[in-house]
Structures are given as structure tokens and as C-alpha cells.
Amino acid sequence: MSLGIVNFAEPPKQEFTSGLGDATRKVIRQLLQEGAKQRNLARDEGQIRIAVCHSTPDAWVPSAFPGWDDLAPCPPPDADISIGRTMYETNDFPQAWIPRLKRMSQIWVPTSFHQAILVNKHELAEDRVKVVHQAVNTDFFRPFTDSLKPDSTFRFLSIFKWEYRKGWDVLIKAFCLEFDPLVDDVELVIETNDFYL
């Protein structure tokens, strides 16, 4: 069995992996190299190709973005099993996504909340919608670091990529409407990146 990673649609950014350990970065490089090699090889007899499309479904074939299907389709046309890994930060998924979700062999979502929406509201078969939780290394990621020691200030932390669907405008407006900086001992900490720049 060979396992590789093939990036599609969006260019990889080094800063996403720069904080990882040397061994982890080495594994990622090897997986990317193997993915590129496998993509260009003829399939061996009995080999099964599994594609995991980790993005919003509007990027899946047929993509809502002109040219993406020709450049780097996900799932690729030779995939035997197509898995879509996605989520949406509200109580429903965009209607335009539903046909793409239904075309996949499986859908992986991070919570049972997302699973219930797809199964109950959009009638995807429950055995095709799997809950695959977000992984967090709690030995590495700790709630209190030297730069963020507990004190009397109540901190709200929001982590997201800087795009409109994440609702940063709603978050900032709600925070400013709810709290008075002269009275309330609160902070809004936003960790983000310029994902599309």
C-alpha cells in the first residue's frame, strides 16, 4: 500500500507547517512526494485509489470555480472511493453544496451536529456521514502559555481563516455592542491568517 498527499485548488503555504517538529515536516514532505509520484503512475492491478477532498464542497467536481476541474479536480476522475471532509459554521449547509455532498462515497464532518443536519434535513444515508473529530495535541497546545496567563480579564478566543463566511464581521460587531472597554474587563483575541492573499 502506498499513501500520498496531493494538494488541489489552493497553493500550499509553508507557514502552515513551519511550527511543526522536524519529523512531522519530513513525513508531510514524503507524503507530498509520494502523492505526486502516484498521480503520474499507471494504476497497479488491484490498487484502489481513495480521494479525500478536504475543503468546502463548492470546490469539488463540478467545481463552482472556473478552471479548477481542469487544473486539480477533487475527487479526481480515477478515484474509486471519494470522501468529502467538510463543515459549515451554522445550522445548515448551502443548498448548492448538497448535490456535491450526495455524489461522494462518504462525508466526514467534525461533529454529530453536522451529521444530524446532513442525515435528517438533507437525507444523506447515516452510514455515509461519519463523524471524524478535529484532532488536537493537548501536550503541545495548552490553554495557558507564558503570553496568556490567567488573570481577571475574561478573554474570548476565536481562531479562523480570514474569509467572509467565518463571520468575523458579526463577531467584532457583537463584541463591540455587548462590551464597554471602559467598564468590562474583557478582551477579544483573534488568531487568523490571510488565507487567500
Side-chain angles (χ1 to χ4, degrees):
M1 178 178 87
S2 62
L3 179 65
I5 297 173
V6 177
N7 194 68
F8 85 103
E10 297 158 350
K13 287 191 172 187
Q14 287 295 94
E15 58 265 27
F16 288 157
T17 58
S18 64
L20 300 174
D22 291 338
T24 302
R25 285 198 316 273
K26 181 179 178 184
V27 169
I28 291 171
R29 279 193 303 276
Q30 290 171 337
L31 287 169
L32 285 166
Q33 290 168 354
E34 183 63 28
K37 184 174 86 177
Q38 289 298 320
R39 185 103 180 195
N40 297 318
L41 291 178
R43 184 189 308 225
D44 293 334
E45 187 172 329
Q47 182 184 33
I48 296 174
R49 291 205 169 157
I50 301 170
V52 180
C53 301
H54 182 147
S55 67
T56 56
D58 53 350
W60 303 344
V61 173
S63 175
F65 308 104
W68 279 18
D69 292 345
D70 297 326
L71 180 64
C74 200
D78 64 345
D80 298 297
I81 299 171
S82 299
I83 299 168
R85 196 300 190 186
T86 196
M87 71 173 94
Y88 204 63
E89 296 83 355
T90 185
N91 63 350
D92 202 358
F93 288 80
Q95 197 59 41
W97 291 9
I98 304 307
R100 290 179 181 91
L101 290 163
K102 289 184 174 183
R103 276 193 282 277
M104 301 302 251
S105 307
Q106 283 189 4
I107 300 296
W108 293 353
V109 293
T111 69
S112 57
F113 172 77
H114 294 99
Q115 182 186 45
I117 293 168
L118 292 174
V119 170
N120 299 329
K121 186 169 185 176
H122 297 290
E123 301 176 349
L124 274 77
E126 189 169 1
D127 65 334
R128 290 181 50 224
V129 183
K130 307 292 184 185
V131 176
V132 179
H133 298 287
Q134 305 272 35
V136 176
N137 179 342
T138 56
D139 291 329
F140 183 78
F141 296 102
R142 297 188 178 145
F144 301 109
T145 65
D146 290 340
S147 63
L148 201 57
K149 292 280 186 196
D151 56 26
S152 63
T153 302
F154 190 93
R155 288 181 180 87
F156 294 89
L157 173 63
S158 187
I159 303 171
F160 54 88
K161 65 182 179 182
W162 193 262
E163 63 180 354
Y164 187 70
R165 78 178 182 91
K166 297 296 182 176
W168 56 265
D169 56 330
V170 177
L171 172 67
I172 294 170
K173 182 178 179 181
F175 184 83
C176 292
L177 288 172
E178 183 65 27
F179 300 107
D180 180 345
L182 300 175
V183 177
D184 301 309
D185 190 13
V186 296
E187 291 179 1
L188 173 60
V189 179
I190 295 175
E191 172 70 27
T192 189
N193 62 66
D194 58 349
F195 192 76
Y196 291 109
L197 301 179

